[in-house]
């Protein structure tokens, strides 16, 4: 009996020396995300065209009247619009454009850390090469030939697209009615609790602020039952304080 090949994934080592596995986004996810982003850009261009028609009676005639240099600059401007959209969105929205957010994927570095300006700028300017000769043919071939479905831009920028996975705290949390009374003394964490805390810490900076705070609070309640009300308030005063406490607890329990 033949065994199926393991799904593509990205192995990440946390500072606590615990390995995490992030599922890689395949070509289907990436194509659908691109279609969403391309449709959004097309809608913006159409809207701009109609605005220009209100100012110019013959838009097509004006375009045809442009010199060769003018037409070249116009084409470069259209590309710059796309490049800025993808780059700025990935940098300011933690590796996600609108399309990536809809599909639940994001760009990260090959070590699992958030993508930076340089990496995003490189991978997106290389879309020109990935698009050749037409319809992202080069990019699709590269994705099919690489283990982590990376297009040429990803290979040059050192990035990879991963799928987001929700952290299900309820799977590790005993219902309130069944929870034992909290101990006065600090107790060691179970292996499952350590893994849960580390999984949260590895993704915390990429979460929405409200989600980050809510999950952090639930984890503090889970692993910090020994805290007094004043200590709990101090731990929850900020995201950094919460995650520092969780990191210390995970190291103590690891």
């Amino acid at each position: 009996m033949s065994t199926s090949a393991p799904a593509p994934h990205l192995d990440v080592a946390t500072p606590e020396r615990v390995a995490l596995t992030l599922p890689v986004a395949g070509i289907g996810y990436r194509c659908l995300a691109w279609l969403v982003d391309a449709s959004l850009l097309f809608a913006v261009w159409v809207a701009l065209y109609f605005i220009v028609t209100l100012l110019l009676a013959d838009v097509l005639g004006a375009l045809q009247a442009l010199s060769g240099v003018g037409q070249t600059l116009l084409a470069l401007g259209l590309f710059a619009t796309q490049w800025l959209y993808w780059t700025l969105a990935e940098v300011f929205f933690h590796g996600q454009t609108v399309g990536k957010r809809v599909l639940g994927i994001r760009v990260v570095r090959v070590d699992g850390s958030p993508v930076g300006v340089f990496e995003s700028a490189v991978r997106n300017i290389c879309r020109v090469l990935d698009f050749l000769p037409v319809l992202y043919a080069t990019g699709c071939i590269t994705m099919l030939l690489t283990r982590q479905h990376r297009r040429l831009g990803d290979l040059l920028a050192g990035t990879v697209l991963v799928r987001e996975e929700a952290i299900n705290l309820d799977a590790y949390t005993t219902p309130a009615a069944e929870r034992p009374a909290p101990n006065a003394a600090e107790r060691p964490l179970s292996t499952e609790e350590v893994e849960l805390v580390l999984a949260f810490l590895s993704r915390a900076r990429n979460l929405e602020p409200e989600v980050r705070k809510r999950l952090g609070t639930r984890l503090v309640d889970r692993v910090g039952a020994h805290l007094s009300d004043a200590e709990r308030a101090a731990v929850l005063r900020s995201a950094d304080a919460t995650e520092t406490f969780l990191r210390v607890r995970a190291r103590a329990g690891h």
Side-chain angles (χ1 to χ4, degrees):
M1 181 181 297
S2 60
T3 57
S4 58
H9 60 275
L10 176 67
D11 293 323
V12 178
T14 69
E16 292 79 10
R17 293 181 296 178
V18 173
L20 297 176
T21 299
L22 304 177
V24 171
I27 189 171
Y29 281 91
R30 299 182 63 142
C31 288
L32 290 175
W34 179 85
L35 285 174
V36 173
D37 288 322
S39 298
L40 178 61
L41 286 170
F42 180 75
V44 171
W45 289 335
V46 170
L48 289 176
Y49 174 80
F50 280 109
I51 292 175
V52 173
T53 59
L54 299 176
L55 304 175
L56 295 175
D58 185 8
V59 178
L60 294 178
L63 293 176
Q64 292 174 352
L66 290 174
S67 64
V69 174
Q71 292 178 356
T72 300
L73 291 175
L74 179 61
L76 290 175
L78 292 176
F79 172 75
T81 301
Q82 299 181 69
W83 179 74
L84 285 173
Y85 165 74
W86 266 293
T87 301
L88 294 179
E90 289 175 358
V91 171
F92 290 104
F93 296 105
H94 309 294
Q96 288 186 312
T97 60
V98 173
K100 292 182 179 68
R101 188 177 183 86
V102 171
L103 271 295
I105 61 178
R106 74 171 67 243
V107 183
V108 297
R109 295 189 179 107
V110 290
D111 62 359
S113 60
V115 70
V117 176
F118 175 76
E119 292 85 7
S120 183
V122 170
R123 74 182 302 274
N124 286 306
I125 204 168
C126 287
R127 288 181 184 276
V128 176
L129 301 177
D130 283 308
F131 192 83
L132 297 174
V134 69
L135 297 177
Y136 279 95
T138 299
C140 289
I141 292 173
T142 307
M143 281 187 278
L144 291 174
L145 294 178
T146 54
R147 185 173 63 86
Q148 294 178 330
H149 303 307
R150 299 167 69 192
R151 62 178 176 83
L152 184 59
D154 290 314
L155 294 173
L156 294 176
T159 56
V160 62
L161 264 73
V162 297
R163 301 200 313 270
E164 292 190 314
E165 288 186 328
I167 302 173
N168 184 12
L169 292 179
D170 293 330
Y172 299 94
T173 305
T174 307
E178 301 176 9
R179 284 181 196 158
N183 298 323
E186 180 178 335
R187 63 172 179 81
L189 301 186
S190 66
T191 301
E192 287 184 341
E193 287 172 329
V194 172
E195 291 178 351
L196 180 63
V197 169
L198 295 178
F200 167 73
L201 292 174
S202 70
R203 296 170 171 82
R205 295 189 181 279
N206 292 326
L207 297 174
E208 296 293 334
E210 290 185 6
V211 176
R212 183 179 181 181
K213 180 179 180 180
R214 175 167 54 84
L215 293 179
T217 300
R218 293 181 64 182
L219 278 173
V220 169
D221 290 339
R222 174 64 177 170
V223 305
H226 62 284
L227 296 174
S228 65
D229 291 341
E231 290 171 334
R232 181 180 182 276
V235 166
L236 296 177
R237 73 180 184 274
S238 68
D240 288 339
T242 298
E243 289 155 23
T244 297
F245 169 77
L246 293 174
R247 188 171 288 107
V248 171
R249 289 288 281 136
R251 285 175 177 169
H254 181 56

